[in-house]
Every structure is written in structure tokens, then in C-alpha cells.
Amino acid sequence: MCGIIGITGSEDTAAGLLEGLALLEYRGYDSAGIAVVEPSNKIFRLRAAEQGGSLYHLGNGLPKEKTARLKYAAGIGHTRWATHGAPTVSNAHPHVDCQSTLAVVHNGIIENHNRLARDLKERGHHFASETDTEVIAHLLEEQIAGGKSVKDAVISLLTVLRGAFALALVHKDFPDTIYAARRTSPLIIGSEAGVGLLASDVAAVLERTRNLFELGDDQAAEIRPGAFRVYDHLGVEMQPKAINVGWSTEAARKGGFPDYMSKEIHEQPRAVAETILGRLEPSGETRLEELDIDDGRLAAVERVLLVACGSSYHAALAGRHAMEAWAKIPAEVDIASEMRYRSMQIPKNTLVVAISQSGETTDTYHAMRQARSQEVMTVAVTNVVGSLMTRETDGVLYTRAGPEIGVASTKCHVAQLALLQCLALRVADLKGTLSVAEKSAVAEEILSLPSLIERTLLGQEQFRKVAERYAEARDFYYLGRRLGFPVALEGALKLKELAYVRAEAYPAGEMKHGPISLIEPGSVVVVVAKRSSLWEKIMANVEEMRARGATVIAVADEGDEETAALVDDVLETPPVTEVCSPVIGVLPLQVFAYTVAKAKGHDVDRPRNLAKVVTVE
Ligand code: AGP
């Protein structure tokens, strides 16, 4: 889950690397570093390891005269989220070989690094870090010393290394060339006006070019100013696939907000509007053309299995209800990290929907692959064009939320909810399980979500005021029933990851089976109490909490005085049908968690111990 950037042929190589790394920080940020080939055929390397400040220190450590000398040279940069070895300067990338002839950055995990390192050490190599990455530098050193060209040595890594990797390197004798190779972890090549670019993520290079290409699995590349060549593992030259990215560069910036999270909360109406755009008509007609799965196959689906992690898992829990209510077929949900290790026989005619904002979460990717190995149909729901999961699935549905930089998912989560509703309606449409009037009512509701989100967010000030009153509370319990439960889970996750406060989420009816013994004066219960057929039951659960001294905050419908009279504080949201309610219900809880985190002085975009893209188990 690290970020990689490479630039060659640019008059601002060093500054460009720092700029690219700043755009990649959301992929990991415990340390960062760059390496550039100096005109004197030496590797210039600079690294820093300060939680939240690595790039700042990197920039400060780069003298102006050095920046001038590094013009047009080939350089690579890396922002790290530690997997092997502590986040220290010596473990920060780039890593060099014994003689500093080359420098390597790497994203992923080299599974056979222990054996490789042991052999290399026996042959006299000196290791300076605890990382798995360093074996790459020493392996290359040996291959090149043995007479291979740098390019051929890099290609040979595709056979030697096991695991997932995206790697880039520069060599002191080739001041204008970046070499790269990848398996599983993505790499993007860009080429523009005499400049060559490489990145783990389009966001890092979008401001410089839209002439982008995907480096394929088990491929290597040589990137020079304005030109590049791609090879397979046998050294045969390949034609790379062009990538079409519709995002604006502005979409990747903070846009005037104090942090990415508030910008992304604000962007939610548009994220949902763009996600449903062209996909459904007020009549209930649905079009999911890019799904690229034959209507007949989709109509024959008899059950759905949704798999995901974190916020995407919560979206799956809500999506299941839409599938059951509209398409009237059984829908199960599994946590990807659990599903991938179960001996699960997935019945034929199951549609497996793998949901991942990044499209690169290892567990979700492998759960999806496990399903594919059983020859069931898979659909990836993701926000990242060309991401790993999109390349190994039968169908893809993109949430069109634009890049989500804040580590805590907000706009992508609501876009996932809306997109899963479109998918459920599509299956219902093909199966003919809804009447014309029902179809149209559902479509109208989904189409109204962007304006309902906008209306809900007008209440942000009130949500903030309520949250400020609870900023010092120690224990939170989030309760919901049926579609309120995924909302409770998501609200609790937001509070945990941003405010570092204990927050448990339960189906409200489950409290009396144990957790209620935790409730005491001072406990804060956040209950999702929007009007539904279960409203009375949930309010009975609220009474049970209040009777034990809890303070209760309810996510309730606007103007619902009956609910307001039964609780201590209300987060008001517009009424909406139950199936669509998670999209609206989650919004005040995002603002609530954001406010408590800010009151505690936390960095909401980069919560501690987390990374945006989880590419390790
Ligand atoms: C959300 O706020 C979290 N940061 C996290 O739970 C996230 O949803 C999870 O890691 C899954 O990521 P994905 O959607 O990219 O697969």
C-alpha cells in the first residue's frame, strides 16, 4: 500500500517527485524517499521517516543547488506504509545495492525474501535495512555484475521473485532511464512532451499527462524521456494497453476545504449523481452497459454473494437488502478476509459481487478470485479505473465518485450504496420481479438521492453542534435494525478510525443477549431510528438503554417529534424509503465522527495506523 512515482526528462525531476509523492500520500505515509541519478553518474538519495511529516522533511533536506543539478535526470520516489521493518529512515525506500550503483522502490510483499536474503548474505552482500525490498537491489547487482543488461536483469526478477510487487529503479550508468516491473500491484506509465513518467496510481501523474498506459502483470518496462518499451517475462516486447481516465486534476485536490475528508463529504451529492447517471430512468428502466455481462446470464442469477472489507462491507450489508427486496433472490454477505479461507462451495448461478473502493484490497481481490476459480460469475464494484480487480472479473461497475484521498471512506461508500441499488434494480428488471409502478417508484427514489444528500448536508452545522457535546465521551454504542444496522456499523467505524474512541455497533435486538451489561451512566448510544416498520421495536430498545443510564442520540426523520421526545439529541435527516435510507442515515454519522476527531486534534485525512489501500493481509 505504498506509493511509487518516477520521472525522467523533466526540468524539475526532484520537485516533481516530491509533488507526485504528495499526491500519493494517502497510500501510506510513515516514511518517504527519492533517488535521482546525478550527472556525475552517482545516485543521489534522500529519505525521511516522520509520521505525518516525511515529505516536509524530505523537501527541507533538498538543497536548491542540488535540485538544479538534478534537472532532466531519471528519478524515483516512494511513500511507505511499513510491512517489513519499522518505519525508520534506514527502512525507507529507495534501497540501494552494496556499491550504491542502483536504487529501488517497491510496493507489495516479496514472499520469498527470507530465503533470497539468506543466500545473498552468504554470497557476501551487506544489507542495510530490515525490508523485503532490499533483496531486489542486491539481486540486480549480482545479475548485472554477471553480465546482464539492467533491462534483462529486471526481466529476470519476474521469474525469481514470489509475491506481489510493483518496483521501479534507477541505475547510475543510465541517467535518463527508469526501469520497472510488476506483478499484481499496479504501475502506470505516462509519456508527454519529452518526459517519461511512472506511478503506482494515476492521481500522481494526472497533472502532467493523460497519455497513460498500464504495465501488465508480469511485465517489465524501460522508461526514457518521452518514450518507453514494455517486455514480458521472456523479454518479448509487448504493446501496453492505453488507459482512459476521465477524472479532472482538480478533483484530486482539496478544493478549498481544510482537509480531504470535508471536501469528500461535500462531494457526496455529485458522487452519487455521477454514479447513477445514465444507469436508470424514472420509469425504472436500467442500463448497466459497461457491466458487460449478457442479460440472459444476469437474469438467470439465483442468488447473490457480496464480499468486501471495511466500509465496502457495510455497503454490501445494505446492498443485500435491495437485492432481496427488489430482485427477490437470496443475498448473502461475507467479509472478504474470512471468505477467502473458507472451504466454500458456491452454488452455480450465484453472482459474486466484490466491492472495493480501491479495487486493490488484497482480501477482496482473493475472495473474488476464489469465486472465479469455482466458475461463478463475478462483478467488481470499484472506484478506480483499471485497478487490479477490474482486470480479473467478468463484469465491472464503477462508482464514479472521483478520487477519494481521505483514508476514511465517505463519498465512495455512498456511491457504492447507490450503485448496488442500481444493480439490484437491474436484476429485478431482468427477472420481472417488480411491477411497472414498483420499478418506477424505486427508480424515482434512487434518482432523488443526490438532492436528498444535499438537503441532509445542509444540517451539517447542527450535526457538528451535537457532536461537540459528546467529544469527551468514552464509550459509544451504535445501534440499528435491518437497514439501520449497516449504518450503525459504518458510523461506529468512522468514529473508531478517526477519533480513536471505542465504538461498538450492534443490531439493536442483540443488546439484551450480552452487551447491555456494558451500559451505564456515561455510555452514549447512537441509534438509527429513521421511520420504518421496525421503528417501534427500535424505540423499545432505546428505552432499555435509557433505563440503564445511557444518553441517546438518534438519527431520525426531520420533524419526527415523537422520536425527539424519547432521546437526548437528534440528528435530523430527510425521510426516505427504508431500502434507500443507508445513503442518508450515514451522513450525520460521518460529520459526527469528523467533528469528534477534530475536537481531539486528530488528522482526519491520515488517521494513525491506517492506510487507504490495504494490499497486505
Ligand atoms: C473505510 O473508512 C476504511 N478506511 C476501510 O475500512 C476501507 O473501507 C477498507 O479497507 C476497504 O477498502 P476498499 O473499499 O478499497 O476495498
Side-chain angles (χ1 to χ4, degrees), residues 10 15 19 22 103 114 119 124 224 235 269-271 319 345 408 483 543 549 556 575 597 611 615:
S10 163
E19 235 173 72
N114 275 330
D119 295 351
R224 297 209 172 86
R270 209 185 67 215
Q345 291 311 308
L483 277 131
E543 280 309 306
T615 52

Side-chain angles (χ1 to χ4, degrees), residues 309-312 355-361 364 407-409 416 490 493-494 497 610-612 614:
C309 302
S311 294
S312 299
I355 306 154
S356 171
Q357 175 280 131
S358 58
E360 283 175 29
T361 297
T364 313
V407 166
S409 187
Q416 287 169 346
E490 180 60 9
L493 177 63
K494 289 281 134 334
E497 68 181 330
L610 294 177
K612 183 70 179 163
V614 184

Side-chain angles (χ1 to χ4, degrees), residues 95 126 170 206 239 248 329 352 374 429 480-481 502 579:
H95 292 286
H126 170 71
V170 287
L206 216 49
Q239 209 44 48
S248 71
I329 49 175
V352 173
Q374 297 189 31
D429 196 11
R481 294 185 86 123
R502 260 188 299 280
V579 184

Side-chain angles (χ1 to χ4, degrees), residues 272-569:
V272 170
E274 293 198 0
T275 296
I276 60 180
L277 187 76
R279 286 172 165 162
L280 76 165
E281 297 294 328
S283 63
E285 293 306 305
T286 44
R287 267 192 313 276
L288 296 177
E289 278 153 14
E290 82 283 45
L291 179 62
D292 210 23
I293 291 182
D294 177 55
D295 281 355
R297 278 185 86 197
L298 210 52
V301 163
E302 286 169 6
R303 59 186 64 74
V304 175
L305 172 61
L306 302 113
V307 288
C309 302
S311 294
S312 299
Y313 167 69
H314 303 155
L317 286 170
R320 152 214 242 163
H321 289 275
M323 202 53 91
E324 287 175 344
W326 303 336
K328 304 195 192 318
I329 49 175
E332 294 303 323
V333 184
D334 216 338
I335 291 183
S337 56
E338 290 294 310
M339 181 205 149
R340 63 181 287 201
Y341 292 113
R342 282 169 59 196
S343 334
M344 193 181 197
Q345 291 311 308
I346 307 173
K348 298 284 169 229
N349 290 336
T350 299
L351 173 66
V352 173
V353 183
I355 306 154
S356 171
Q357 175 280 131
S358 58
E360 283 175 29
T361 297
T362 288
D363 287 319
T364 313
Y365 166 68
H366 283 283
M368 190 184 82
R369 278 177 65 133
Q370 197 210 354
R372 285 202 100 201
S373 70
Q374 297 189 31
E375 290 170 15
V376 294
M377 202 176 5
T378 60
V379 171
V381 172
T382 182
N383 194 48
V384 181
V385 177
S387 57
L388 185 60
M389 284 170 53
T390 66
R391 293 179 234 142
E392 295 189 36
T393 178
D394 298 296
V396 183
L397 282 174
Y398 287 111
T399 47
R400 303 180 194 129
E404 189 177 68
I405 309 291
V407 166
S409 187
T410 51
K411 62 176 180 170
C412 283
H413 176 68
V414 294
Q416 287 169 346
L417 291 167
L419 188 49
L420 290 173
Q421 287 165 1
C422 293
L423 179 62
L425 190 57
R426 177 78 190 144
V427 178
D429 196 11
L430 292 170
K431 285 186 165 294
T433 46
L434 293 179
S435 69
V436 172
E438 285 168 332
K439 245 175 36 177
S440 152
V442 166
E444 296 272 10
E445 180 93 5
I446 302 173
L447 288 165
S448 71
L449 284 174
S451 60
L452 286 174
I453 297 173
E454 214 159 306
R455 193 166 122 199
T456 311
L457 291 177
L458 291 177
Q460 275 189 79
E461 196 42 46
Q462 190 249 338
F463 304 155
R464 271 196 284 270
K465 279 195 180 127
V466 173
E468 275 158 11
R469 290 203 274 278
Y470 296 92
E472 298 304 321
R474 204 193 59 181
D475 294 312
F476 286 80
Y477 300 87
Y478 282 67
L479 307 182
R481 294 185 86 123
R482 208 156 66 178
L483 277 131
F485 177 50
V487 176
L489 280 167
E490 180 60 9
L493 177 63
K494 289 281 134 334
L495 193 69
K496 280 184 272 209
E497 68 181 330
L498 295 167
Y500 319 150
V501 171
R502 260 188 299 280
E504 303 279 353
Y506 289 103
E510 193 60 18
M511 286 300 280
K512 59 175 86 64
H513 298 287
I516 198 166
S517 59
L518 292 167
I519 301 295
E520 59 187 1
S523 305
V524 179
V525 171
V526 180
V527 62
V528 184
K530 291 183 70 60
R531 289 284 171 160
S532 73
S533 55
L534 292 179
W535 179 83
E536 282 177 357
K537 292 193 189 301
I538 199 137
M539 293 320 286
N541 298 136
V542 164
E543 280 309 306
E544 291 156 10
M545 301 304 119
R546 280 169 61 91
R548 282 150 185 92
T551 304
V552 179
I553 307 168
V555 176
D557 285 347
E558 280 163 5
D560 182 350
E561 287 172 13
E562 206 181 343
T563 302
L566 295 171
V567 298
D568 298 279
D569 268 305

